[in-house]
Amino acid sequence: MTIVLRYVDNLGFVKEIFIGVVHVKDTSSLTLKNALKEVLTSNKLSFSQIRGQDYDGASNMREKFNGLKVLILQENDTIFYVHCFAHQLQLVVVAVAKKHDNVSDFFEQISLVVNVVCALCKRKDLLQEQARQRVQKGLCSGELETGRGLNQETTLVRAGDTRWGSHFNTLTSLMKLFADILVVLEFVKVDGGSLANANKR
């Protein structure tokens, strides 16, 4: 769980500070509340000092009876709750994009490619092997540079409906692996053809 505090300093300026990432055993609202309480206590803060809380729209956060929002309101009923605006914006962007036929069709085709390539372990392995060979060849020929953080292994990422950023990650991974994906699709075409012929027999 990532924790960020937003507060007003003595001069009246609004500040935002990243407290840290806390490991939690599960994402139930009670576990999150207890973890949050520990973090506040270790920073000499308490729920009585909180004036607002802000999360995404997941059910464990906003559920009416046992959500994190409600559990914290039981500690201090003056805490104002705000649904994360960044998360709302993500949902709006995805929804608006899907209303545009060309954009919707484009991402449908991308999703189809990802599903076909990632459907079987055999295909994923082929994709990784093709990418490894391409990088190795590029390094040997001098086309690719070596260095820290360069030539990292990339996988084909599926886009999620609630995060527009995941669509960007899908497109980025597709562009990086484009030549390798073509090899896998050719394999699927040939393999599918041989399966069809075998079934005819």
Side-chain angles (χ1 to χ4, degrees), residues 8-9 11 14 16 19 25 33 40 51 68 75 95 97-98 108 121 125 137 145 157 175 192 197 201:
V8 179
D9 69 9
L11 299 173
V14 176
E16 204 165 82
I19 297 295
K25 290 184 290 184
K33 179 200 168 193
L40 290 174
R51 297 294 171 258
L68 180 60
E75 297 277 340
K98 285 189 173 183
E108 229 173 82
C121 292
D125 291 345
K137 187 177 175 183
E145 295 179 20
V157 183
M175 288 188 295
N197 292 334
R201 292 181 204 149

Side-chain angles (χ1 to χ4, degrees), residues 11-126:
L11 299 173
F13 292 105
V14 176
K15 304 274 184 159
E16 204 165 82
I17 183 170
F18 172 70
I19 297 295
V21 178
V22 180
H23 175 74
V24 288
K25 290 184 290 184
D26 58 68
T27 56
S28 70
S29 53
L30 188 58
T31 301
L32 296 176
K33 179 200 168 193
N34 291 335
L36 184 56
K37 192 170 193 172
E38 281 181 35
V39 170
L40 290 174
T41 303
S42 67
N43 285 281
K44 297 180 181 166
L45 297 168
S46 71
F47 285 118
S48 65
Q49 295 171 292
I50 296 176
R51 297 294 171 258
Q53 52 182 328
D54 179 31
Y55 318 110
D56 66 17
S59 61
N60 62 336
M61 299 297 195
R62 62 174 170 77
E63 207 260 318
K64 290 181 181 179
F65 301 106
N66 293 316
L68 180 60
K69 171 184 88 168
V70 173
L71 294 180
I72 290 177
L73 283 170
Q74 288 170 358
E75 297 277 340
N76 178 354
D77 62 2
T78 63
I79 297 175
F80 187 70
Y81 169 76
V82 178
H83 184 123
C84 176
F85 288 117
H87 187 251
Q88 285 180 323
L89 180 61
Q90 293 274 3
L91 297 173
V92 168
V93 171
V94 172
V96 169
K98 285 189 173 183
K99 292 290 183 191
H100 191 287
D101 290 343
N102 292 338
V103 174
S104 181
D105 290 347
F106 173 74
F107 280 108
E108 229 173 82
Q109 293 301 314
I110 296 297
S111 179
L112 183 62
V113 169
V114 173
N115 288 339
V116 168
V117 171
C118 296
L120 301 171
C121 292
K122 189 176 183 180
R123 296 176 191 173
K124 286 185 193 175
D125 291 345
L126 178 59

